[in-house]
Structures are given as C-alpha cells and as structure tokens.
C-alpha cells in the first residue's frame, strides 16, 4: 500500500493555508474587592513569538457594579511598545450570557516603536480610537466561549474559549 504523495515543496512553501504556531500568549490577573460595588484589578501578560522574540505588559483597572445587570470598567494597559486606556460597559443578558461594549484610546510613539524594533511604516496607523463589542456565553461550569469584533486600527474578529480553573484550598 502506498500512501498519498506529499505536496511539492514549492506548493508547501507558497501556500497561504499552511498551519503553524506563530505565537503563544500567557496572562494572569488578580482582583481585590475594595467596597461592595468596587473592585481593583491588577495583571500582566507575556507573548512569546516564533524566533524567540516577545513582549510583556502590565494592567491596572477599576471595576464598578452599577446595578444587578450592568457593570463599568476602566483599565490602563502599558507595554514596551504602546499604552492603552479602555472603558467598557457590560450588560448581563441571561444567567449564561453577557454583552460588552467598549472603547479604547491607544498611543504608540516613534521612540516606543523603535524600541520594539518596528520601522516607521510598521507603526503607522497603530494607536487611536478603537471600538469593541464582545459576546460571552457560559458553555459549562468551567468553560466560557466568546466572540469579539473590533473596529479601528488593528481591527479584528475573533472567537475563543476560556477555561476557569477552580481555586485550590490549602487549609
């Protein structure tokens, strides 16, 4: 028995459909209740890209429970190449679904772009006002799916899953 022939090397190298891992992102955050309605948020992330390059960032935010179905959140996100301020409003649609609408204002200066190894052409158009809508749906007790649509510089549409890891009791 002879298996299928591999594609020609020229096709494999030129194919836009080649799958491959381009980057890995890890993030972590911690929340601390301040009052019954207010919570502080602190976190960070690391992105490792193919070739050993990567970036890191820190995040600080404030979350307010406006009423039983609405929340507001303000965040500041700072990395080596940009800084972003975001404002988000969330509405709970059902016990398992929620919708988030927000905006962000980002900056990337020439010095920050140069420090990140980007040419002026690559950093053009980055920053400015961005609008984002997100839809979240709880699929199981520990898995939540999300759909995101971003309009503005660096706009995108994405889908994904998030898995909650239950807290481990040490006592």
């Amino acid at each position: 028995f002879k298996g299928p022939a591999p594609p020609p090397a020229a096709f494999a190298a030129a194919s836009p459909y080649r799958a491959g891992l381009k980057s890995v992102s890890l993030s972590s955050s911690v929340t601390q209740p301040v009052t019954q309605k207010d919570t502080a948020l602190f976190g960070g992330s690391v992105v490792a890209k193919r070739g050993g390059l990567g970036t890191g960032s820190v995040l600080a935010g404030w979350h307010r429970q406006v009423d039983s179905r609405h929340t507001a959140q303000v965040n500041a996100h700072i990395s080596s190449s940009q800084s972003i301020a975001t404002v988000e409003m969330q509405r709970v649609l059902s016990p398992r679904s929620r919708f988030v609408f927000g905006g962000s204002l980002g900056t990337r200066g020439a010095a920050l772009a140069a420090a990140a190894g980007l040419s002026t052409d690559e950093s053009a158009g980055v920053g400015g006002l961005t609008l984002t809508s997100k839809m979240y749906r709880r699929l199981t007790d520990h898995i939540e799916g999300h759909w995101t649509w971003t309009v503005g510089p660096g706009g995108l549409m994405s889908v994904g899953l998030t898995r909650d890891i239950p807290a481990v009791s040490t006592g």
Side-chain angles (χ1 to χ4, degrees):
F1 173 75
K2 209 174 181 185
F11 174 77
S15 174
Y17 304 107
R18 242 177 38 170
L21 184 63
K22 296 190 188 276
S23 67
V24 174
S25 174
L26 301 171
S27 63
S28 182
S29 63
V30 70
T31 58
Q32 177 63 47
V34 179
T35 67
Q36 284 185 330
K37 292 188 173 193
D38 296 318
T39 304
L41 167 73
F42 303 98
S45 66
V46 174
V47 177
K49 296 183 179 183
R50 184 181 293 182
L53 301 175
T55 61
S57 65
V58 294
L59 170 74
W62 197 265
H63 177 89
R64 175 136 182 119
Q65 185 73 41
V66 178
D67 60 34
S68 64
R69 296 179 67 117
H70 297 88
T71 61
Q73 186 163 319
V74 177
N75 293 320
H77 176 163
I78 300 169
S79 72
S80 60
S81 61
Q82 65 183 349
S83 59
I84 301 173
T86 62
V87 176
E88 291 185 339
M89 295 296 293
Q90 174 179 280
R91 176 173 169 78
V92 175
L93 303 174
S94 74
R96 297 181 84 73
S97 300
R98 58 193 169 99
F99 177 76
V100 178
F101 181 77
S104 65
L105 185 60
T107 61
R108 174 179 267 163
L112 292 174
L118 300 176
S119 71
T120 306
D121 293 338
E122 290 173 311
S123 63
V126 177
L129 180 64
T130 302
L131 301 175
T132 303
S133 61
K134 303 173 189 174
M135 183 64 147
Y136 294 88
R137 175 79 178 166
R138 176 71 49 193
L139 303 173
T140 70
D141 288 342
H142 298 289
I143 298 176
E144 183 175 68
H146 65 271
W147 171 82
T148 303
W149 183 37
T150 302
V151 177
L156 60 91
M157 187 180 306
S158 66
V159 293
L161 296 172
T162 303
R163 182 175 185 271
D164 300 331
I165 299 174
V168 176
S169 175
T170 59

